[in-house]
Amino acid sequence: MNESRRSFIKKSAAGVALFTILPRKVFGAMGGDKSYVAPSDQLTRGIIGTGGIGMSGLHFVSDDKCRLVSVCDVDRNHLDNALRTGEQKFGEKLQAYDDWRDLVHDPNVDIVHIATPSHWHGIMAVEACKAGKDIFCEKPMTRTIGEGQKVVDAVKKYGRIFRLDTWFRFKDTFYGLGTTVEPLKKLVDSGVLGWPLTVRISGATGFTWKFYWTGKENLEPQPVPKELNYDMWLGPAPFKPYHPHRVHQNFRGYWDYESGGLGDMGQHYIDPVQYILGKDDTFPVKVEVDAPAQHPDAVGIWRSITYTYSDGCKIILEGEGFESQGKVPYIEGPLGKVYKGFECTIPNVMDIINAQPDPEPRNTDFLECVRTRQKFALAEENGHHSCTIVNLGSCALRLGRTLHFDPERQVFIGDDAANELINQPMRAPWGSMIL
């Protein structure tokens, strides 16, 4: 960004700051309109990444509680589409950036929404913390365990509010279970299933792993489209020649950017299980994989991934085409089982659930959390824990062997190659931003 552009942003910010301190009556809030939000109370948001997720109806919104003011993308076609859509939907011109650092440091932005491929999530979140912004981050939270640790530290150090965007632990029907998570949590807390528990996340229990998100080997280099800043798209990832299958909708199929369907769906599926089992403050101690040898660049399929906690609880992931046969329980304990559709072997199960106290209240209104500085229900710490489960599986798949993990130190035990995957090299200058 050149100095004249920086000067323009600073002058614009000064004008906005002057505008927002005027009393609400100046803006026509007369007559007792309680729905009115004074400009000084209105939050602002910028989106980094205006592809499919950033432009979805859930996220590309602007209202009197939180106004969308800026967008950023390294693909000019994506950016132009966001600008057009902003004018059509909201009737105003959004500030456009092609360098995410300009959006993060824009004084007009309160909340940074990170909707990029996941190899950018950690760096962008840490830099947003340094810039005094609150963060709305898409899943998976980070691509590596080390990046997750850095985000947790930065949120704490700079006093920011962080939200991870997977919502099944606290609302919406949880895939094949046909219920929200709360009754499952109350059932487990009642103890009637016994302990330890095994949870099976499988097509047989209502969860599929999107195995079509695998990579292609031996991609032939192709010219970079003129609208795409490919070097900035790669960012901290190793340089690989451009091919359209490597970017945009297909990026998940390459280890440099994510880990296929495991990376895409893992936190959606696993985070509620972590909550149900009461594991928000710990990690599995062992991860085992049954999978073909993985290509060093292209993500492949896997048959199963099994996580074991120190108390014997297990989470078992079954890949598409490798599901257990017959009637398979989602949750299995020594005293009872829960199946797809919330079918349970415990008699009078609903009476037991209804007699249980409700789980502790959680803050699920992100904007209210930003205003009051209260932690969101799925924030940096519990988000890092469930993301680490995903990344433990990724590490074991890439190495093709069982790994043992120290939950306190967050390192692998006796495995140097695995520990090298915790903090992976980054291209300059990006790695220095997350130190």
Side-chain angles (χ1 to χ4, degrees):
M1 183 186 231
N2 59 39
E3 286 305 312
S4 61
R5 187 174 171 196
R6 293 186 191 278
S7 177
F8 171 77
I9 288 179
K10 288 179 180 177
K11 290 177 181 177
S12 299
V16 170
L18 176 63
F19 176 81
T20 59
I21 61 173
L22 293 174
R24 59 182 285 167
K25 65 181 181 181
V26 173
F27 300 96
M30 304 296 288
D33 181 6
K34 295 183 180 180
S35 66
Y36 177 80
V37 178
S40 56
D41 296 328
Q42 186 185 53
L43 295 169
T44 58
R45 182 171 61 99
I47 300 176
I48 308 175
T50 55
I53 296 297
M55 292 299 295
S56 72
L58 285 173
H59 301 316
F60 199 78
V61 295
S62 186
D63 55 35
D64 62 349
K65 292 182 179 179
C66 187
R67 181 169 156 244
L68 180 63
V69 296
S70 63
V71 287
C72 176
D73 205 286
V74 296
D75 187 314
R76 188 68 218 186
N77 289 345
H78 287 183
L79 194 58
D80 287 345
N81 177 57
L83 294 175
R84 286 192 301 271
T85 305
E87 290 203 50
Q88 292 166 2
K89 288 185 69 173
F90 317 133
E92 61 179 297
K93 186 175 180 62
L94 301 175
Q95 174 66 54
Y97 294 113
D98 55 13
D99 187 322
W100 63 270
R101 291 168 292 187
D102 294 339
L103 184 148
V104 163
H105 292 280
D106 184 341
N108 294 324
V109 173
D110 297 319
I111 298 166
V112 173
H113 183 165
I114 303 172
T116 64
S118 53
H119 67 289
W120 271 116
H121 289 185
I123 290 174
M124 290 179 177
V126 168
E127 194 67 11
C129 288
K130 294 177 183 177
K133 313 297 183 180
D134 296 316
I135 302 151
F136 187 120
C137 186
E138 296 299 325
K139 53 75 199 165
M141 179 171 149
T142 55
R143 194 186 69 90
T144 70
I145 297 169
E147 290 170 17
Q149 294 168 339
K150 299 294 195 305
V151 172
V152 170
D153 291 344
V155 171
K156 181 178 180 180
K157 178 178 180 179
Y158 295 100
R160 308 322 307 160
I161 302 300
F162 182 96
R163 172 185 174 167
L164 182 65
D165 190 30
T166 179
W167 53 88
F168 292 106
R169 72 159 54 203
F170 44 81
K171 69 176 184 177
D172 287 358
T173 299
F174 187 41
Y175 291 94
L177 272 296
T179 177
T180 58
V181 164
E182 184 173 290
L184 290 166
K185 173 68 171 169
K186 293 172 74 172
L187 178 62
V188 168
D189 287 351
S190 74
V192 297
L193 299 176
W195 202 264
L197 300 177
T198 294
V199 179
R200 193 175 302 271
I201 303 175
S202 162
T205 59
F207 306 83
T208 57
W209 287 102
K210 298 186 179 180
F211 269 4
Y212 55 83
W213 263 322
T214 53
K216 295 182 178 181
E217 301 176 17
N218 304 314
L219 296 175
E220 290 290 331
Q222 295 191 21
V224 179
K226 64 180 185 305
E227 69 271 9
L228 177 66
N229 183 341
Y230 181 57
D231 186 69
M232 181 64 92
W233 187 94
L234 286 172
F239 177 80
K240 302 283 175 65
Y242 172 81
H243 188 282
H245 198 264
R246 190 174 287 282
V247 301
H248 295 342
Q249 295 89 349
N250 300 306
F251 72 88
R252 293 181 177 89
Y254 299 90
W255 295 113
D256 288 344
Y257 324 120
E258 205 171 283
S259 51
L262 174 64
D264 181 60
M265 300 306 296
Q267 236 174 334
H268 276 328
Y269 293 168
I270 294 171
D271 181 76
V273 176
Q274 176 179 284
Y275 170 65
I276 291 167
L277 296 178
K279 304 295 188 185
D280 272 342
D281 59 355
T282 190
F283 300 95
V285 296
K286 182 171 70 171
V287 55
E288 303 164 88
V289 293
D290 177 8
Q294 299 291 307
H295 188 271
D297 181 36
V299 178
I301 65 169
W302 41 271
R303 291 178 282 270
S304 68
I305 305 173
T306 301
Y307 304 92
T308 304
Y309 288 89
S310 61
D311 63 357
C313 283
K314 293 180 183 288
I315 300 173
I316 301 174
L317 318 182
E318 294 182 340
E320 291 176 47
F322 305 101
E323 295 92 347
S324 298
Q325 299 301 303
K327 191 172 182 179
V328 181
Y330 173 67
I331 303 177
E332 181 174 5
L335 303 179
K337 301 175 183 179
V338 179
Y339 295 91
K340 182 178 177 180
F342 204 34
E343 179 186 345
C344 186
T345 61
I346 302 295
N348 304 316
V349 65
M350 292 312 300
D351 291 338
I352 294 170
I353 290 171
N354 291 333
Q356 280 291 113
D358 290 334
E360 291 184 11
R362 292 164 292 166
N363 298 316
T364 58
D365 185 332
F366 176 60
L367 298 182
E368 186 63 19
C369 288
V370 170
R371 292 188 182 94
T372 61
R373 314 312 294 169
Q374 297 180 58
K375 190 178 287 291
F376 185 71
L378 181 52
E380 69 285 352
E381 292 176 348
N382 49 5
H384 170 55
H385 278 75
S386 56
C387 190
T388 293
I389 300 176
V390 175
N391 287 326
L392 287 173
S394 174
C395 292
L397 284 172
R398 294 179 73 176
L399 295 171
R401 59 175 176 265
T402 296
L403 301 176
H404 298 270
F405 194 67
D406 183 333
E408 296 299 322
R409 297 168 53 227
Q410 297 185 42
V411 296
F412 293 102
I413 299 170
D415 197 320
D416 292 341
N419 283 322
E420 287 179 2
L421 295 177
I422 292 177
N423 292 291
Q424 297 173 34
M426 296 183 180
R427 289 199 306 157
W430 308 111
S432 62
M433 300 180 76
I434 201 170
L435 295 177

